[in-house]
Amino acid sequence: MADLILGLETSCDETAAAVISSDGEVQSNVISSQAELHARYGGVVPEVASRRHLELVEPVVAEALSQAGVGLSEIEMVAVTQGPGLVGALLVGLSYAKGLCWATGTRLVPVDHLDGHVASLFLGPEQVEPPFLCLLASGGHTLLGLVPERGTFEFIGGTLDDAAGEAFDKGARLLGLGYPGGPALDRLAQGGNASARAFPVARVDGLDFSFSGVKTALLYAVRELGEEQLDSARADLAASYQHAIVSALLQRVEQAVDQTGMETVAVVGGVAANSALRAGLEHLGARTAPLSLCTDNGAMIASAARYAPNVARAGYLAVDAYPSR
Ligand code: KG4
Ligand code: ZN
């Protein structure tokens, strides 16, 4: 078997670990979501997330190794998310990974979370080969870039305010859908009429995005309706709001294809799990990772480690987490 890589991801509210082989085959991919724990607060509470990672990291890694049918001694490389993310949460994964490397003499490879999302495309039997145009849409980021080769990302556009996932989450909250909002809004929208309301899609220059306006428009729509009417309008609002966000993403992707002449388009990050976006992308012939690899996971981190810069063995204990890029 090709060399095995253990990937560890704890940047937000998923404690995740995976084993992949160096040719990109996923041997195991274990994700323990803390969503229920944070639901009562309406969003991720950083300190609560860190404490939960501390409890979960060991059993999640053990489960990933067990599902892959391997022991720690067979792992060639430990990959871990270094940033961006919640710094306390990141430190749990990073410290745990350092401990593993200290105990076993395995090499530590710190990985950027965003490179991880892009590297989700280099897993499994249908890997996307560069060069391609890549949209990364997650809870914290919305970026357009060119990927001329594996391990690179040349930025060509991004959001000026909220990330697309953040817009989904905040919209869901306004509609009383709780946390995590994106998937709940997606489900509700499936029973609604996307043309019931025309939410504005902000026009900004170049290949950038802006999602704060559409969120404000939803806020006003919700206020205008009041509690009673909101109940019957909720699904239509969700579908129309989702349509506005998805159209903005698709328009930019099409524009970027025109400008760059790129023939292959790929979309990564949690928002790539959105059903309306996936339908629109299919129409464009764009590629997406399987659903289990779109939202945060350890396999994408292990995948990115194959293209990450080397850290000298002697220096790995000094590697620190970073909250933003
Ligand atoms: O990539 P990810 O798991 O974590 C970050 O790196 O942020 O992305 C999480 C984001 C959240 O904002 C979540 O609401 C959104 O992705 N998301 C979705 C869907 N599934 C996850 N948004 C819309 N529709 C979905 N089905
Ligand atoms: Zn992510």
Side-chain angles (χ1 to χ4, degrees), residues 187-264:
R187 278 193 300 276
L188 179 64
Q190 282 165 28
N193 174 6
S195 37
R197 277 191 184 245
F199 284 114
V201 180
R203 294 206 177 277
V204 287
D205 288 342
L207 292 171
D208 290 333
F209 304 86
S210 165
F211 294 108
S212 61
V214 68
K215 178 190 64 189
T216 310
L218 178 64
L219 170 70
Y220 288 141
V222 167
R223 272 196 197 151
E224 218 173 85
L225 284 168
E227 279 289 320
E228 271 174 35
Q229 286 179 350
L230 178 60
D231 248 354
S232 55
R234 208 175 252 122
D236 284 350
L237 286 175
S240 305
Y241 183 72
Q242 172 172 278
H243 177 73
I245 297 172
V246 166
S247 310
L249 293 172
L250 291 171
Q251 262 174 31
R252 277 295 186 257
V253 168
E254 284 186 83
Q255 197 183 335
V257 168
D258 284 347
Q259 283 185 22
T260 62
M262 279 285 163
E263 284 175 9
T264 309

Side-chain angles (χ1 to χ4, degrees), residues 7-62:
L8 195 51
E9 153 62 37
T10 64
S11 68
C12 190
D13 65 338
E14 259 100 30
T15 316
V19 176
I20 72 160
S21 42
S22 54
D23 57 5
E25 205 181 303
V26 180
Q27 309 291 334
S28 67
N29 190 23
V30 178
I31 303 166
S32 176
S33 171
Q34 305 180 5
E36 266 177 41
L37 182 66
H38 298 281
R40 78 181 92 151
Y41 307 109
V44 179
V45 182
E47 184 56 25
V48 174
S50 310
R51 286 168 193 267
R52 192 71 181 129
H53 282 306
L54 213 48
E55 291 166 355
L56 289 172
V57 66
E58 172 127 46
V60 166
V61 167

Side-chain angles (χ1 to χ4, degrees), residues 113 117 138 296 300:
H113 183 80
H117 275 301
S138 70
D296 291 350
M300 70 183 202

Side-chain angles (χ1 to χ4, degrees), residues 275-293:
S275 59
L277 181 61
R278 287 180 94 85
L281 289 169
E282 205 172 303
H283 201 67
L284 287 180
R287 309 277 302 271
T288 45
L291 279 179
S292 62
L293 297 174

